[in-house]
């Protein structure tokens, strides 16, 4: 049994049984409605054609579909072949045709150096219009665009064990957010506190008199304060959950195997909401100051949550793992000795007597980028991974993987922003070799070389960040100027300007 998990095998996917049924997500339309003023988007880049140019021999439909690139790149078949070239690793950005991304957002990406067959990152940038589902009074709302809300949306999706989950999330997650906001349109436009309950329609479940279920009023003397901001946060959190559930339902018919980390930005009513589930990262660089807008979710950063779940539900460990952590793997010859350990309640270390159960493989093992959960996966939050199993085992890993993001809020109206203030989003391919301070230095160096009103400056900055992390080919590898290895992973970067005339009006 112990031999099953001797070595860490990342991202193994096997065909498991379907999870228990859960509430369904709302029906999603086929397209996203947007106000007339929203910048038009080009068609999704077509999949690479088999047998054309220097492409490999005929590929399957699945292989081609897994390499669709973001719509806004507008890549031709030849451009797709260049983007799929691991040897050249050409940086891709939207064409400079005058039809720019909202807010003149900059974007750049590059494929990995052979880590996976295709670029498993995906990106999305949308202007989304939300029309209210009904009024607070319960009466159906008259269709009128003037009564709706508009939000701006950016998303980075870092796929693993294939790119299908990332591609699906890039197409649908913003639609789930829109669905969750439909009930909030009128509430968010009303400055008064949100209602605690929304009325149901006559005859609907919950519409009958339930006053007999309410206890003494004295028990409910205090009332929690709920803000409009927290309603938007809850809508984003629910959207992530519904997206994950849709992947679970459709994973067989659409072959949505694997999973993805998700980093999403929503701008709504003067505030920026940054939602992160995974190990991508977002920072704001404002007047040279670095403001973290996310944190990475890895087996190390979420050790206590994972251990608590293993402690409360030991059946999830299958008799193969222990929820306790030790400085190194316990050896049979050390039975009866005392070794340092820590459990789900501890941040420090203590000594305990080694027992037979402690010989099991640790739930969390390794350190830094080599840390793994159940000897298999290096991230602990994201979307998908419903088929993921422990190596040489039927033990599912999904119960330990959370689809809920951490959402941080930044109020744009509270600060005076200049054109050099930006929000930088990057997948882990950027941050593996680049620090926050180095990104801030690149922001200052690149933007200072352009006029403040030049909209192309943000694309140039995104390209500089990608090139700086990729490095240049040298000594049979990709090297940085200090001769250290550059990032061999897929790299995707958004640069969102926070200041300047008309950037978020």
């Amino acid at each position: 049994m112990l031999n099953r998990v001797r070595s860490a095998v990342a991202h193994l996917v096997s065909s498991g049984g379907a999870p228990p049924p859960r509430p369904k997500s709302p029906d999603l339309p086929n397209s996203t409605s947007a106000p007339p003023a929203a910048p038009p988007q080009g068609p999704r880049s077509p999949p690479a054609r088999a047998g054309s140019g220097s492409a490999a021999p005929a590929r399957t439909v699945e292989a081609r579909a897994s390499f669709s690139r973001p719509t806004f790149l507008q890549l031709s078949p030849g451009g797709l072949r260049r983007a799929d070239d691991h040897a050249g690793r050409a940086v891709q950005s939207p064409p400079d045709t005058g039809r720019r991304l909202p807010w003149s957002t900059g974007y750049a990406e590059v494929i990995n150096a052979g880590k996976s067959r295709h670029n498993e990152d995906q990106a999305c940038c949308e202007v989304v219009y939300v029309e209210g589902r009904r009024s607070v009074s319960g009466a159906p709302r008259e269709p009128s665009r003037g009564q709706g809300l508009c939000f701006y949306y950016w998303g980075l999706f870092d796929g693993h064990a294939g790119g299908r989950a990332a591609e699906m999330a890039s197409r649908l997650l913003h639609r789930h957010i829109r669905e969750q906001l439909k009930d909030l349109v009128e509430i968010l436009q009303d400055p008064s506190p949100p209602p605690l309950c929304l009325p149901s329609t006559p005859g609907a479940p919950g519409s009958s008199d339930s006053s007999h279920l309410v206890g003494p009023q004295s028990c409910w003397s205090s009332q929690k304060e709920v803000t409009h901001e927290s309603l938007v946060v809850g809508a984003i959190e629910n959207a992530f959950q519904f997206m994950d559930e849709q992947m679970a339902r459709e994973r067989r018919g659409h072959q949505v195997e694997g999973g993805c980390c998700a980093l999403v930005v929503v701008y709504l009513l003067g505030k920026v909401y940054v939602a992160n589930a995974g190990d991508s990262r977002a920072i704001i660089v404002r007047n040279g100051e670095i403001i973290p807008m996310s944190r990475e979710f890895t087996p190390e950063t979420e050790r206590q949550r994972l251990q608590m779940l293993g402690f409360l539900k030991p059946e999830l460990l299958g008799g193969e793992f222990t929820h306790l952590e030790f400085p190194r793997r316990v050896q049979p010859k050390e039975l009866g000795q005392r070794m340092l350990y820590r459990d789900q309640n501890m941040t420090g270390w203590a000594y305990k007597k080694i027992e037979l159960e402690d010989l099991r493989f640790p739930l969390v093992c390794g350190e830094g980028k080599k840390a793994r959960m159940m000897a298999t996966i290096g991230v602990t939050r994201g979307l998908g991974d419903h088929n993921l199993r422990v190596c040489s085992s039927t033990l599912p890993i999904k119960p330990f993987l959370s689809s809920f993001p951490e959402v941080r809020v930044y109020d744009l109206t509270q600060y005076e922003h200049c054109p050099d203030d930006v929000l930088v989003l990057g997948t882990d391919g950027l941050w593996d070799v680049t620090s926050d301070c180095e990104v801030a230095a690149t922001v200052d160096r690149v933007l200072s070389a352009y006029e403040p009103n030049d909209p192309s400056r943000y694309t140039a900055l995104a390209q500089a960040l990608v090139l700086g992390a990729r490095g240049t080919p040298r000594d049979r590898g990709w090297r940085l100027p200090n001769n250290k290895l550059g990032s061999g992973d897929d790299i995707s970067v958004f640069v969102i300007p926070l200041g300047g005339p008309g950037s978020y009006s």
Side-chain angles (χ1 to χ4, degrees), residues 17 23 32 38 64 99 156 180 209 235 241-242 277 280 340 365:
T32 300
R64 293 200 306 271
R99 189 169 62 180
L156 288 181
Q180 293 300 307
D209 181 18
Q241 182 185 24
F242 282 126
S280 298
L340 286 171
C365 64

Side-chain angles (χ1 to χ4, degrees), residues 189-479:
Q189 293 172 332
D190 187 347
S192 59
L196 298 185
C197 299
L198 294 179
S200 59
T201 57
S207 61
S208 59
D209 181 18
S210 58
S211 58
H212 63 284
L213 300 177
V214 180
Q217 193 65 29
S218 59
C219 296
W220 307 94
S221 56
S222 61
Q223 179 176 305
K224 292 183 180 295
E225 292 186 5
V226 179
T227 64
H228 292 80
E229 179 181 295
S230 66
L231 292 179
V232 178
V233 171
I236 295 172
E237 291 170 333
N238 273 339
F240 270 68
Q241 182 185 24
F242 282 126
M243 182 73 253
D244 189 61
E245 291 172 351
Q246 183 178 1
M247 287 181 173
R249 292 194 307 272
E250 301 181 8
R251 68 184 188 275
R252 285 190 174 87
H254 294 78
Q255 299 180 346
V256 183
E257 297 182 341
C260 67
C261 300
L263 176 61
V264 162
V265 172
V266 172
Y267 171 78
L268 177 65
L269 298 175
K271 294 183 179 180
V272 173
Y273 298 82
V274 180
N276 185 46
D279 59 358
S280 298
R281 189 187 307 174
I283 64 171
I284 285 176
V285 181
R286 186 185 69 197
N287 194 26
E289 176 189 7
I290 298 170
I291 304 171
M293 291 302 297
S294 69
R295 66 185 177 103
E296 285 93 291
F297 292 99
T298 67
E300 283 189 307
T301 64
E302 289 217 282
R303 172 187 63 84
Q304 288 181 284
R305 178 183 72 81
L306 301 174
Q307 288 180 326
M308 179 60 76
L309 182 56
F311 170 73
L312 294 175
K313 296 186 176 183
E315 66 273 13
L316 297 178
L317 301 176
E320 301 181 20
F321 294 88
T322 173
H323 75 279
L324 301 180
E325 182 185 19
F326 300 91
R328 60 166 171 77
R329 182 75 186 277
V330 180
Q331 303 298 318
K333 63 182 180 181
E334 294 168 329
L335 281 170
Q337 298 182 18
R338 293 171 62 83
M339 180 178 282
L340 286 171
Y341 88 106
R342 57 183 178 182
D343 65 14
Q344 68 280 357
N345 300 306
M346 302 170 63
T347 55
W349 295 83
Y351 288 94
K352 77 175 294 289
K353 182 181 178 180
I354 298 299
E355 301 173 354
L356 188 62
E357 291 77 10
D358 299 326
L359 296 180
R360 297 169 179 167
F361 206 90
L363 175 62
V364 175
C365 64
E367 199 171 24
K369 290 296 292 184
K370 295 183 179 180
R372 290 292 181 268
M373 194 263 294
M374 301 181 86
T376 302
I377 189 167
V379 293
T380 54
R381 298 202 189 191
L383 303 170
D385 288 314
H386 295 279
N387 290 336
L388 192 61
R389 299 290 188 270
V390 173
C391 177
S392 303
S393 170
T394 60
L395 197 62
I397 293 177
K398 182 62 177 179
F400 290 93
L401 299 175
S402 173
S403 61
F404 280 93
E406 178 189 61
V407 184
R408 298 188 181 185
V409 186
Y410 181 82
D411 192 344
L412 277 177
T413 66
Q414 297 299 308
Y415 303 93
E416 290 289 338
H417 294 92
C418 72
D420 290 355
D421 296 337
V422 293
L423 171 59
V424 178
L425 315 179
T427 54
D428 64 331
L430 171 70
W431 306 106
D432 285 347
V433 298
T434 312
S435 68
D436 292 356
C437 291
E438 289 170 331
V439 167
T442 303
V443 169
D444 178 66
R445 172 177 58 83
V446 174
L447 294 186
S448 63
Y450 288 80
E451 292 295 327
N453 60 352
D454 186 345
S456 66
R457 64 205 306 257
Y458 305 109
T459 296
L461 174 55
Q463 292 171 343
L465 290 171
V466 170
L467 286 169
R470 184 202 68 178
T472 56
R474 188 169 67 249
D475 300 331
R476 291 180 294 180
W478 294 84
R479 297 282 175 174

Side-chain angles (χ1 to χ4, degrees), residues 78-115:
L80 275 169
R81 287 194 296 272
R82 288 189 294 273
D84 200 20
D85 180 12
H86 295 85
R89 299 188 75 189
V91 175
Q92 308 297 319
S93 288
D96 190 6
T97 59
R99 189 169 62 180
R100 302 185 180 280
L101 297 180
W103 295 18
S104 296
T105 295
Y107 176 81
E109 69 172 39
V110 72
I111 195 171
N112 60 80
K115 177 182 176 182

